[in-house]
Amino acid sequence: MKKFNIGIIGTGWPGQQHAIALRGSARGQLHACADLDEERRHAFVKEFGAIKAAADYAELLGDPQVDAVMICLPNYLHFPASLAALEAGKHVFCEKPPTLNAAEMTVLRDEAQKRGLIYFFGRQFRFTPGMISAKRLINDGRLGKIYHARAIWIRSRGIPPGIGGWFTDKKRAGGGALIDIGVHALDSVWYLMGTPRPISVSAGVFRNFEHFVSGNVFDVEDAAFAFIRFDNGAVVQLETCWAGNLPDDIPEGKYFGRETNNSLVFGTKGTLRLKPLTLFEDQNGALVTVPITNGNTQDTGDSFAAQLENFLAAISGDAQPINSVDQAVELMEMIDAIYSSGTLGREVPIT
Ligand SMILES: NC(=O)c1ccc[n+]([C@@H]2O[C@H](COP(=O)([O-])OP(=O)(O)OC[C@H]3O[C@@H](n4cnc5c(N)ncnc54)[C@H](O)[C@@H]3O)[C@@H](O)[C@H]2O)c1
């Protein structure tokens, strides 16, 4: 089988996870990398053995041997780098958030479709063994009709800096906790619900903890809470924050203070909790707790490898992309609407 030559643009943590996944891939191989940071670039080449390395990603895009790129740049570069890659005839895998907003994502969708190229957004949590088990249970009808989900990713002391402080700078990040971690929580439940079409959002968006950051621009939200309605009548409650005075029933994590990243999907026959993966099921009127084996929902190596294989199979034409370009547009429409509702202080429609 021909192995696709992959270029990785941005060699921080996500770029490294994709390079590890490529090591074990039968369909793809690391060919080139690009990163402005010389030290990171050299360390990446040494560790993963890219044949070519450049500071400027344009050089990588000009390489006719590169079939596809995996973009792991700060958020504001997702759009220009993805567009340039599509224009250069490369398939695109782009880390989350797909873009800064839905308008940018719509341009990418149209460009990818015009050129017959795959655009795939990074969401490795869809590929964890636990999510695969959860999706199977849902497809088998164990939840019945899904009418509600609660999506939660909250931290007590977890404002990330990023190189040069870009995570807290609206121009470069597009937003704060919502676009950084809330997008993961929201996408997980939306995916399990079968990606119904969002129709309206009511949200509150806050910046309360500026005093935790010194020296960097901080003009994004550190918390967002949203209520999203879908065209099938289902609703989602989303709760996300980088900082907050969270209670002690939330355990202390390694880096970000107290932290929980967990979600619940409610159906007429059963409710699923993601961590630990558990089904709360109606059995003849009794509510029974059913622990699910193979329920790991952490984004360990398996999930990056499985995500990569779906991307490569989609390029080959052997599978539909699970993280599809149309879903990237709708995901960004929900993010846009949350910000817009937070600013306006009222429910906003998604048309
Ligand atoms: N999937 C996940 O769970 C996950 C986890 C972390 C980050 N991310 C996403 O990955 C992206 C990168 O995040 P990060 O934490 O690695 O950020 P980072 O700031 O640590 O790394 C970004 C890298 O891009 C390089 N870079 C910046 N501008 C460049 C340019 N013009 N040309 C070439 N290289 C350039 C920087 O030198 C740096 O090495 C973000 O969009 C983030 O949301 C996803």
Side-chain angles (χ1 to χ4, degrees):
M1 187 189 297
K2 172 190 179 315
K3 279 197 173 190
F4 291 108
N5 282 327
I6 308 297
I8 292 185
I9 303 177
T11 60
W13 184 82
Q16 292 164 26
Q17 302 315 301
H18 301 313
I20 293 168
L22 277 165
R23 273 182 178 152
S25 175
R27 287 181 190 257
Q29 60 195 3
L30 177 64
H31 177 75
C33 69
D35 198 304
L36 287 179
D37 186 309
E38 198 176 348
E39 206 175 306
R40 267 197 174 178
R41 194 171 68 241
H42 286 167
F44 186 88
V45 170
K46 194 163 168 229
E47 176 67 29
F48 299 107
I51 295 168
K52 295 179 186 167
D56 184 352
Y57 68 76
E59 198 177 311
L60 186 152
L61 297 181
D63 181 345
Q65 289 183 298
V66 170
D67 299 301
V69 293
M70 302 186 85
I71 296 171
C72 310
L73 295 168
N75 300 352
Y76 72 107
L77 294 171
H78 289 187
F79 174 68
S82 296
L83 186 61
L86 292 169
E87 286 170 349
K90 316 294 184 195
H91 299 283
V92 171
F93 173 108
C94 182
E95 263 306 333
K96 64 84 198 158
T99 47
L100 296 183
N101 52 54
E104 287 184 350
M105 197 49 239
T106 304
V107 173
L108 294 184
R109 180 195 58 198
D110 294 350
E111 192 66 26
Q113 287 175 349
K114 187 176 88 189
R115 292 174 183 273
L117 293 166
I118 295 292
Y119 171 95
F120 190 106
F121 66 104
R123 262 291 299 151
Q124 75 275 9
F125 285 97
R126 288 186 177 196
F127 295 86
T128 63
M131 280 291 269
I132 292 167
S133 301
K135 196 73 176 159
R136 195 172 300 128
L137 286 168
I138 289 169
N139 290 344
D140 288 348
R142 293 281 287 274
L143 267 64
K145 183 173 158 48
I146 295 172
Y147 57 92
H148 170 51
R150 202 188 297 159
I152 302 171
W153 194 336
I154 50 177
R155 296 172 177 164
S156 64
R157 299 289 183 269
I159 302 175
I163 290 185
W166 69 264
F167 272 96
T168 53
D169 177 359
K170 180 121 181 123
K171 273 198 312 296
R172 291 182 289 165
L178 171 65
I179 211 164
D180 180 35
I181 54 176
V183 69
H184 273 304
L186 173 59
D187 182 73
S188 286
V189 298
W190 184 51
Y191 174 61
L192 290 176
M193 294 166 84
T195 61
R197 206 174 71 71
I199 56 170
S200 73
V201 170
S202 188
V205 175
F206 302 90
R207 183 168 62 254
N208 291 319
F209 295 95
E210 279 165 293
H211 51 287
F212 287 169
V213 172
S214 58
N216 293 330
V217 179
F218 188 2
D219 59 357
V220 296
E221 81 289 353
D222 50 46
F225 308 95
F227 188 79
I228 306 171
R229 290 181 192 280
F230 297 89
D231 67 348
N232 64 357
V235 294
V236 162
Q237 257 176 290
L238 169 69
E239 200 181 318
T240 188
C241 66
W242 276 339
N245 299 316
L246 304 183
D248 63 3
D249 58 340
I250 297 174
E252 197 77 22
K254 213 168 169 186
Y255 305 111
F256 300 118
R258 291 177 186 163
E259 179 167 24
T260 186
N261 163 17
N262 205 346
S263 294
L264 288 154
V265 180
F266 294 81
T268 50
K269 292 186 183 169
T271 291
L272 258 184
R273 179 184 59 205
L274 289 186
K275 283 185 189 158
L277 188 63
T278 311
L279 178 64
F280 303 95
E281 186 174 46
D282 180 272
Q283 292 182 6
N284 303 318
L287 185 53
V288 177
T289 299
V290 185
I292 307 297
T293 51
N294 200 15
N296 177 17
T297 49
Q298 284 300 120
D299 59 336
T300 45
D302 289 2
S303 60
F304 281 93
Q307 176 177 242
L308 174 71
E309 287 316 304
N310 180 239
F311 173 57
L312 297 174
I315 292 176
S316 311
D318 293 344
Q320 287 301 315
I322 289 176
N323 302 359
S324 74
V325 71
D326 290 323
Q327 289 173 19
V329 173
E330 286 198 351
L331 189 58
M332 290 317 301
E333 283 173 347
M334 285 190 270
I335 300 290
D336 283 0
I338 293 171
Y339 284 130
S340 168
S341 172
T343 305
L344 296 169
R346 61 168 169 78
E347 186 169 47
V348 298
I350 300 177
T351 46

